[in-house]
Amino acid sequence: LDAHPPGLIVVAGLDPRPHAQATAVDVILPSGRGAFFRILVRQLIAARPPVRTAVIAETKDALRTPRQLRRLVETFVVVPPLTYAQQLAQAMQRFPQLLVIDHLTPESTPLAAAAAQRGLCVLSQIDTIFRGADVAMALLDLGAPQAALDHLHWVVSVQRMAMLCPHCKRPTPLQADQAASLRQRFPSLIDLLDSTWYDADGCPACQHSGRHGDVAAFDIYRGDSAADHRHHRRGLLSLEEYALRLAAA
């Protein structure tokens, strides 16, 4: 990612919706997508050499840019009557090396796709439970043209997962059918099968849930063309593999 080649980079994850009515989705832990997005933006701006960056956002402090990077960043705030399209036009006149759009919506997605098609490195985020190649289909639903999927190169999905309670977790043997399933689905994890695995039955400390606290897990997907997305090309690192490596650590 530090090489920031031309194309679209999307950070995906589902975060709480303020003022929304409670639904079944609310049982999902907040992904932490926004925090990771800001960290990734800073890393890309501070790459060697540093890059000129244009940020299009609905608030001036959307990214909370560190003081040492502010000289490289120009923010174009979308406040009525200004639109994303108008602010993007202004931003492009500055010839940025990196374009950051605060979030993908039916208004901003076609603009982000068009900028990526013109050879710009574009970074944005999307509020979704989808991961990997499925995010490409979500972009189509938001108005991205089919041709733009050739320029979707990275999807980094973030999800928070509950951790076992440290007070009641205990070693548990890996059953033969579980080991066989892991070998088949994740051949790169065969070396982890001899690790110590744990389970938790619950205790007063975790209100008998067996879970306490949470941890961020990532899914890393790299695609070179729309065909990769259509055929659901395997990602570089799946969320399940990431979680299993954490569990075996």
Side-chain angles (χ1 to χ4, degrees):
L1 287 177
D2 280 347
H4 44 264
L8 181 59
I9 303 170
V10 175
V11 176
L14 188 65
D15 279 349
R17 292 172 173 80
H19 313 303
Q21 292 184 346
T23 67
V25 174
D26 293 326
V27 301
I28 299 175
L29 291 169
S31 67
R33 181 201 70 240
F36 176 76
F37 178 72
R38 290 189 291 271
I39 292 171
L40 181 57
V41 171
R42 294 169 194 167
Q43 292 295 322
L44 293 180
I45 295 173
R48 294 290 179 266
V51 297
R52 298 187 312 277
T53 303
V55 177
I56 302 177
E58 294 178 356
T59 60
K60 189 173 183 179
D61 60 348
L63 297 182
R64 304 171 195 169
T65 309
R67 186 185 303 274
Q68 64 271 24
L69 297 178
R70 289 176 187 169
R71 63 181 179 81
L72 297 167
V73 179
E74 186 170 3
T75 302
F76 300 82
V77 182
V78 180
V79 291
L82 296 175
T83 65
Y84 274 92
Q86 290 171 322
Q87 291 297 63
L88 176 61
Q90 288 292 320
M92 295 302 287
Q93 293 180 15
R94 305 295 199 275
F95 301 102
Q97 297 165 288
L98 173 65
L99 175 65
V100 178
I101 298 178
D102 58 353
H103 55 268
L104 293 173
T105 66
E107 180 185 2
S108 64
T109 298
L111 301 173
Q117 287 179 280
R118 290 200 295 268
L120 193 61
C121 179
V122 182
L123 174 62
S124 192
Q125 59 180 329
I126 183 173
D127 193 50
T128 181
I129 61 173
F130 293 121
R131 296 181 267 128
D134 289 333
V135 172
M137 303 305 106
L139 295 181
L140 292 179
D141 290 340
L142 288 174
Q146 183 72 41
L149 296 189
D150 282 330
H151 302 272
L152 172 63
H153 294 322
W154 291 96
V155 177
V156 182
S157 302
V158 190
Q159 181 176 320
R160 298 203 70 81
M161 307 181 74
M163 297 176 61
L164 293 178
C165 173
H167 302 287
C168 61
K169 75 174 186 179
R170 54 180 174 74
T172 185
L174 193 64
Q175 301 300 317
D177 59 334
Q178 293 173 322
S181 177
L182 289 176
R183 288 192 186 95
Q184 182 177 8
R185 292 186 60 195
F186 307 105
S188 62
L189 298 183
I190 291 178
D191 59 314
L192 301 181
L193 296 182
D194 293 331
S195 302
T196 301
W197 300 89
Y198 293 87
D199 197 0
D201 294 327
C203 66
C206 62
Q207 299 180 333
H208 302 283
S209 67
R211 304 292 185 267
H212 182 77
D214 55 76
V215 63
F218 296 87
D219 183 287
I220 312 297
Y221 173 79
R222 173 77 167 90
D224 294 316
S225 68
D228 290 338
H229 313 322
R230 286 195 301 271
H231 297 128
H232 287 78
R233 176 180 178 177
R234 182 181 176 86
L236 298 181
L237 178 65
S238 71
L239 183 78
E240 293 82 2
E241 181 177 346
Y242 188 96
L244 286 167
R245 288 191 179 278
L246 285 180

